[in-house]
Amino acid sequence: MAVDYAVIVVYLAGMLAMGWWGMRRARSKSEFLVAGRRLGPAMYSGTMAAIVLGGASTIGGVGLGYQYGLSGAWMVFTIGLGLLALSVFFSARIARLKVYTVSEMLDLRYGGGRAGIVSGVVMWAYTLMLAVTSTIAYATIFDVLFDMNRTVAIVLGGSIVVAYSTLGGMWSITLTDMVQFVVKTIGVLLLLLPIAVVKAGGFSEMKAQLPTEYFDPLGIGGETIFTYVLIYTFGMLIGQDIWQRVFTARSDRTAKWGGTVAGTYCLAYALAGAVIGTAAKVLYPELGSPDDAFATIVKDELPVGVRGLVLAAALAAVMSTSSGALIACATVANNDIWSRLRGLGKAPAENADDHDEVQGNRLFILIMGLAVICTAIAIDNVVEALTVAYNLLVGGLLVPILGGLVWKRGTVYGALASVVVGGLAVIVLMATYGILANEPVYYGLLASLAAYLVVSLATPATDAAVLTAWRERLAGRSSELASEPAPVSQ
C-alpha cells in the first residue's frame, strides 16, 4: 500500500500547488470567478466534464450498475443528456450575457431584483447542499485508503478543496479540474473498466452469471428514468455550478461545441460505471450495500500502484464537483444575496478596486467552505440531502429561467410567483409524501409552471426597453464594460 499512499499524497500536493499557481492569475473579479472568460475548447470540455461527473456519478454510478446492471447507467446518462441540451440549445446565449450568476440573468431578463434575490436564496441552498454531499464522499474514499475516522476524512478532504479554491478561485479550480479530468479518464475508463470486465470473466461470463434483467436497458424502470430526466437533465440546464462554467468559455462557439464534447464524454462514463458495477456483482454477489461495490473492487482486484491511481480518480471526481459547487455557492452568496442586502450592485462603482473584489470573493469561498465542512459532518443521509437540493432547484427555478429564455411574455411577477409557489409546493409535498418520493418534483414543477403562466398573463408585459436591452445582450452586442455586472465593494 505504500505505493498507493505515495500516489495519493503526490496527487493532493499537486492540487494545492495548482491552487497557489492559480492565485497569481486571479487578479480581477472576472479572473477569479469565471477565469477571465477565456477558456479554449480543450480546457473548457475537460473542466465541464469534470464538474458534472462527481462522486455520485463515479461511486454512485458503479453502485447502480451493481444493483440494476446496465440500466444503472441512466442516472449519469441523463446528466450527459442535460449537458448536451444545455450546450446545443442554450449555452451560446448564456455565454453572451457576460454575467456571473443565474440571478443576474433573471434581473436582466425581467428588469428588476425582486425575483433575483429570491432565486438567489434557492440557488444558494442548492449549491450548498451539492457541495456538502460531495464533501461527505471523502469519508468513503479515505476509509478505503487509511481506515480514517469519518469526521477527520471530511475535514481533510474538504480543507484541501477550500484551500485551493480560496487561493485562486476559478483559475485554480480550472487547472485542478483539468488534471482531475485526465486522472478520471485514465483511472476509471482506461484501467478500472477493462480490469473489472476481465476479472469477471468477460461479458459472456457476466451474462451467464447474472439474471437477464441486468442487461435490459430499461431494467431500472420507466418511472425512475423519467424522474432522473426531470431532476438531473433539467438540473443541468439551470444550475449555477454549470452556468458558471459556461461563463468561462472564450466564445459562444466554444461553449456550444466544447460542452457537446463534454456531454458525449458523460454518456460514455455512464456506461462505463454501469459495466464496472455489473462486473462487481459477478465478483461479489452479496455486498451489504451497492455503494460498496466501487471500493471493494478497487481494494481486492487492482494491483499496487494502479489501485492508488484509481482511488486518485475517485478523489478527482469528488473534488471537481465539490470545488465547482463551492465557488458557485460563494458567488451566489456574495453577489446575489449579500450585495443586495447591503443595497449594492445596482450601479457601476467608479472607484471599484479589483483587489478588493477578489479579496471579498475569496473571503466568501472560505466562509462557505467552512459551512460546507461543518454541515457535511452533521449530515448522515447523502441521498436525501441531494434530493432536497435538486427538488428545490428544479421545482423553484426551472420554469422562470427557461421561460425567460424562450417566452417574451413572461414578467417579473410571473417569475417571482413561479419561484415561490414551486419552492413551497416542493417543500410541502416532501413533508407529505417523503423526501425521496417522486411526487414533490412532479407536482412542484407543474405548480411552478401554472403560477408563471397565469401571473405573467395577468400582469403588464415587461417594459419594451428592458426586452430590447435583453435581446442586445443575448446577441452579444453590448460592450464588455457595460456587460459586466457592477462590482461589489468590500
Side-chain angles (χ1 to χ4, degrees):
M1 287 292 287
V3 176
D4 296 326
Y5 293 160
V7 171
I8 297 297
V9 169
V10 169
Y11 169 75
L12 294 177
M15 295 300 99
L16 291 173
M18 287 182 194
W20 184 262
W21 189 84
M23 181 176 67
R24 302 173 60 185
R25 303 197 64 170
R27 301 186 182 279
S28 69
K29 180 178 180 180
S30 177
E31 295 282 352
F32 191 82
L33 294 182
V34 291
R37 307 187 194 275
R38 50 194 175 122
L39 297 190
M43 187 164 281
Y44 178 85
S45 297
T47 56
M48 181 62 88
I51 188 177
V52 300
L53 296 174
S57 300
T58 304
I59 299 171
V62 171
L64 287 171
Y66 182 89
Q67 187 173 3
Y68 297 105
L70 298 186
S71 66
W74 272 105
M75 183 187 77
V76 184
F77 201 82
T78 55
I79 290 173
L81 291 177
L83 185 52
L84 284 171
L86 174 70
S87 301
V88 172
F89 299 113
F90 299 109
S91 64
R93 283 182 282 178
I94 293 169
R96 287 194 292 263
L97 290 175
K98 305 294 184 187
V99 295
Y100 293 112
T101 69
V102 174
S103 293
E104 288 174 356
M105 166 264 170
L106 293 174
D107 284 350
L108 286 171
R109 167 59 182 83
Y110 295 110
R114 284 162 290 193
I117 192 167
V118 177
S119 66
V121 171
V122 175
M123 190 65 76
W124 173 79
Y126 158 72
T127 53
L128 178 71
M129 295 311 299
L130 184 61
V132 165
T133 54
S134 300
T135 302
I136 291 172
Y138 294 125
T140 300
I141 298 170
F142 283 122
D143 177 60
V144 174
L145 278 171
F146 309 116
D147 194 24
M148 187 177 289
N149 173 270
R150 178 182 184 274
T151 298
V152 175
I154 289 173
V155 171
L156 175 60
S159 296
I160 292 171
V161 170
V162 171
Y164 73 69
S165 301
T166 302
L167 285 172
M170 187 59 83
W171 266 122
S172 294
I173 293 171
T174 295
L175 295 171
T176 54
D177 277 2
M178 197 62 200
V179 173
Q180 288 158 355
F181 168 74
V182 173
V183 171
K184 277 193 288 193
T185 301
I186 295 173
V188 175
L189 296 184
L190 301 184
L191 292 176
L192 183 57
L193 174 61
I195 290 173
V197 172
V198 170
K199 292 284 187 178
F203 287 104
S204 59
E205 183 65 20
M206 290 163 62
K207 286 186 176 182
Q209 293 284 338
L210 297 173
T212 55
E213 292 80 8
Y214 266 70
F215 302 93
D216 180 358
L218 303 179
I220 198 170
E223 184 178 356
T224 299
I225 295 171
F226 181 66
T227 302
Y228 284 161
V229 170
L230 278 185
I231 293 178
Y232 297 115
T233 301
F234 288 152
M236 288 295 105
L237 298 179
I238 59 174
Q240 170 67 25
D241 52 324
I242 309 302
W243 277 42
Q244 200 156 342
R245 294 312 173 96
V246 175
F247 300 151
T248 67
R250 185 168 60 199
S251 65
D252 52 6
R253 183 178 177 84
T254 296
K256 181 176 181 178
W257 295 111
T260 301
V261 171
T264 304
Y265 177 90
C266 291
L267 303 183
Y269 200 89
L271 185 58
V275 171
I276 293 168
T278 304
K281 183 67 175 179
V282 173
L283 295 168
Y284 312 100
E286 303 296 332
L287 287 179
S289 168
D291 286 339
D292 293 337
F294 180 88
T296 302
I297 198 169
V298 169
K299 280 197 300 185
D300 295 350
E301 302 297 337
L302 300 185
V304 173
V306 173
R307 180 169 51 215
L309 186 57
V310 173
L311 286 172
L315 266 179
V318 174
M319 284 184 163
S320 57
T321 299
S322 181
S323 59
L326 176 59
I327 194 172
C329 179
T331 303
V332 170
N334 189 10
N335 290 270
D336 292 340
I337 300 175
W338 179 242
S339 67
R340 293 169 193 262
L341 292 177
R342 295 180 62 192
L344 302 177
K346 299 298 184 183
E350 295 180 5
N351 60 346
D353 188 299
D354 279 338
H355 176 74
D356 290 342
E357 287 286 332
V358 172
Q359 290 298 96
N361 283 290
R362 187 173 281 140
L363 176 62
F364 265 86
I365 290 180
L366 179 60
I367 293 171
M368 291 299 108
L370 294 174
V372 165
I373 292 172
C374 293
T375 307
I377 292 171
I379 289 180
D380 289 327
N381 196 316
V382 180
V383 176
E384 288 191 358
L386 193 61
T387 301
V388 169
Y390 271 102
N391 281 354
L392 286 173
L393 177 72
V394 174
L397 294 181
L398 178 70
V399 170
I401 292 171
L402 295 189
L405 288 170
V406 302
W407 191 42
K408 66 179 182 180
R409 186 60 181 83
T411 69
V412 64
Y413 299 105
L416 184 59
S418 179
V419 174
V420 173
V421 171
L424 289 177
V426 165
I427 292 171
V428 171
L429 290 167
M430 283 193 295
T432 303
Y433 289 97
I435 290 175
L436 299 180
N438 293 328
E439 287 82 0
V441 71
Y442 293 170
Y443 300 138
L445 190 56
L446 289 175
S448 178
L449 177 61
Y452 183 70
L453 293 174
V454 171
V455 176
S456 290
L457 292 173
T459 53
T462 303
D463 186 86
V466 172
L467 289 177
T468 299
W470 166 252
R471 285 191 289 268
E472 290 292 308
R473 291 288 283 271
L474 281 179
R477 286 193 286 266
S478 295
S479 68
E480 177 69 16
L481 179 62
S483 65
E484 287 290 346
V488 180
S489 302
Q490 295 291 337

